[in-house]
Amino acid sequence: PSSALILLPTAPAIHRPINPSTTRTSTMANDIDACVPQAVTDFIFDLYDSVTLSQLSEEQTALYGAVFRDLSDKYFSTSPWPSPQSIVNECNGDPLFLAFYRELTHRHWHGINRPMLRDHIDGWDVYRQLFDEILDDAEDFAFTDAPDKFFILPEWAFDILNEFVYEFQGFCQLRTGLHNSASKNGLLGGANPNGEPIILPNNKAHPSVVENVMALAASGREIWAPDTVFYYLHRLISIGTSPKCKSPTFKYLGIFASVALSRLECLVGDYHGSLEAMKPILSSDFVVAKHDIDSKTAIDIIQECFPARLSLSYHAGVSFLMLRRLRDAATVLGDICSYMQRGFKTGQLRKLPGSDQFSKNYDRMIALLAICMHLSPLITLDESIQKHIREKHGAQLGQGKL
């Protein structure tokens, strides 16, 4: 399925009195550390404390949702954040936090820089390391009353898992494009007994094509292997949605792994699988309790994380449509479009990160609703949504060209 993806259109620093147990090491900073701005090292130290010790939602919301974005704009608008090796003194060398930090800064770099093949290959190592760290002895922490060894916000959990699927999709697209270029330029000569492609010399092929094909061949078959991608998602869902799970963080990861899996199943054309992936989190019995916030159901948590709500609604709508469940598709897509229409009018959605993509997603869902109405004229929608459909696609509907 990795080479045959159906590419549907998609979806102030807090400074507290320092806890003695979090006192920084007295190791003298190396030359690399000396180049890191003080505001950045303070942020990393505070973020480490919020992930591993204080674990307060309000505090981490400010750090992850505002301070990181502000520091990125100020210091790293065109360059990557410092490497994990350069900030080890700010987190006592904690391997789990360093894996979270590496993913966070890797995601930032992908957001401002067009990723190349090497970035995709490095990305696999980033997520493999993070998920292996998270899942190491996961049941020992998730299924007991012991304090959580780490805490991340629902929004942070969603961003990790959403980016994970996005980068898998991007790698598959890039690999397919490189395979086509290699075939066109006569660079492929079958496969060896291990199933690895044999690269033929060709002086006429563009050097960049040859270089990328060689790098892809050298990366091995395990890079972004579909079986492993699905394994990580299913493992997180299995732990996080288990009745025995008591950890809020693992429950967040289970919820958003289900959202990510629903998206992935839709991308590979398994629409039944996409809808099945949503089932573990739709039960009213699924409740997340944390000491500093009110208890919430999985649906409450998804509703409060709009990008997750949008992803779940969009891919559910596409899956219903492809399964000819037109009324269900219209209900799901109509509800989210009505919500977004109100959000655009009030300006609420434009305040959220990634708001530039919301209008594109809205237009795509309006087009899907137009298809639903064309195939099943008895479907009724909110009048404002019907008006928008007529304005955008009325001519096509009248000519039967949609």
Side-chain angles (χ1 to χ4, degrees):
S2 62
S3 61
L5 280 174
I6 298 176
L7 302 176
L8 297 169
T10 54
I14 298 175
H15 298 283
R16 308 165 312 287
I18 297 178
N19 186 315
S21 63
T22 65
T23 303
R24 307 184 200 203
T25 59
S26 58
T27 305
M28 183 177 295
N30 57 28
D31 292 339
I32 298 177
D33 288 316
C35 298
V36 180
Q38 184 66 42
V40 173
T41 59
D42 288 345
F43 161 75
I44 294 169
F45 181 71
D46 288 341
L47 187 65
Y48 166 65
D49 184 69
S50 80
V51 169
T52 59
L53 292 169
S54 68
Q55 300 188 4
L56 297 175
S57 302
E58 183 177 0
E59 174 189 27
Q60 197 173 110
T61 297
L63 291 167
Y64 179 78
V67 180
F68 178 73
R69 201 158 51 241
D70 293 343
L71 291 175
S72 295
D73 291 342
K74 183 175 182 179
Y75 296 109
F76 309 109
S77 59
T78 59
S79 62
W81 272 66
S83 68
Q85 292 77 11
S86 66
I87 56 95
V88 291
N89 289 337
E90 313 309 322
C91 64
N92 295 322
D94 186 314
L96 178 59
F97 178 79
L98 287 171
F100 275 116
Y101 173 83
R102 186 184 180 197
E103 190 281 333
L104 177 63
T105 55
H106 167 82
R107 179 159 30 96
H108 160 264
W109 180 237
H110 267 220
I112 64 171
N113 181 60
R114 183 179 179 182
M116 307 301 288
L117 177 62
R118 177 49 57 185
D119 297 312
H120 283 291
I121 294 174
D122 290 343
W124 174 245
D125 188 58
V126 167
Y127 287 99
R128 179 194 55 79
Q129 179 189 39
L130 175 60
F131 292 141
D132 286 347
E133 286 286 350
I134 290 174
L135 293 170
D136 183 35
D137 298 325
E139 289 87 349
D140 293 343
F141 296 93
F143 295 166
T144 68
D145 293 320
D148 276 351
K149 66 175 180 178
F150 68 98
F151 167 72
I152 59 172
L153 294 164
E155 294 82 358
W156 193 346
F158 170 75
D159 289 342
I160 288 172
L161 290 156
N162 189 60
E163 182 72 13
F164 177 58
V165 174
Y166 177 77
E167 292 200 21
F168 172 60
Q169 179 184 355
F171 177 78
C172 291
Q173 290 174 306
L174 181 60
R175 180 173 59 187
T176 299
L178 282 175
H179 185 276
N180 292 339
S181 295
S183 298
K184 182 178 179 181
N185 288 279
L187 294 171
L188 297 182
N192 62 24
N194 295 324
E196 299 167 342
I198 298 173
I199 310 301
L200 302 176
N202 187 337
N203 295 329
K204 295 181 180 181
H206 194 280
S208 64
V209 174
V210 177
E211 180 182 355
N212 283 332
V213 171
M214 294 291 289
L216 184 62
S219 67
R221 297 169 64 88
E222 71 279 2
I223 300 296
W224 289 109
D227 287 349
T228 310
V229 171
F230 277 95
Y231 164 77
Y232 282 134
L233 294 177
H234 281 289
R235 188 85 173 88
L236 290 170
I237 293 170
S238 174
I239 295 172
T241 63
S242 168
K244 296 187 292 183
C245 182
K246 300 180 180 181
S247 162
T249 303
F250 275 100
K251 287 190 175 185
Y252 293 151
L253 290 167
I255 290 169
F256 295 116
S258 295
V259 175
L261 180 61
S262 173
R263 175 187 173 190
L264 183 54
E265 296 283 17
C266 187
L267 286 171
V268 300
D270 185 353
Y271 305 112
H272 286 288
S274 179
L275 298 175
E276 285 291 320
M278 305 175 192
K279 284 187 176 181
I281 57 175
L282 295 181
S283 170
S284 59
D285 296 332
F286 191 115
V287 176
V288 181
K290 190 172 182 289
H291 66 89
D292 62 330
I293 58 174
D294 295 333
S295 298
K296 298 175 182 178
T297 66
I299 293 299
D300 292 334
I301 292 167
I302 293 172
Q303 297 278 29
E304 293 177 0
C305 181
F306 178 72
R309 177 181 178 182
L310 176 59
S311 176
L312 196 66
S313 298
Y314 175 78
H315 294 100
V318 169
S319 297
F320 282 135
L321 177 60
M322 298 302 290
L323 295 171
R324 306 288 290 184
R325 294 172 58 177
L326 302 180
R327 290 188 180 276
D328 291 330
T331 298
V332 171
L333 295 172
D335 286 348
I336 189 67
C337 284
S338 294
Y339 177 87
M340 293 180 72
Q341 195 175 66
R342 294 191 297 271
F344 289 140
K345 288 180 180 179
T346 62
Q348 178 184 1
L349 291 182
R350 304 193 190 283
K351 299 176 184 179
L352 300 177
S355 59
D356 54 327
Q357 292 295 319
F358 294 161
S359 293
K360 296 178 182 178
N361 288 327
Y362 177 80
D363 289 340
R364 289 167 183 156
M365 291 188 292
I366 288 295
L368 292 174
L369 284 170
I371 294 173
C372 290
M373 293 187 66
H374 179 66
L375 295 175
S376 182
L378 295 180
I379 287 176
T380 57
L381 299 167
D382 183 88
E383 179 56 36
S384 61
I385 297 297
Q386 293 193 57
K387 180 181 177 181
H388 197 175
I389 291 174
R390 288 193 296 268
E391 291 173 352
K392 293 281 291 185
H393 304 288
Q396 293 169 293
L397 287 169
Q399 298 172 15
K401 294 182 178 179
L402 192 65

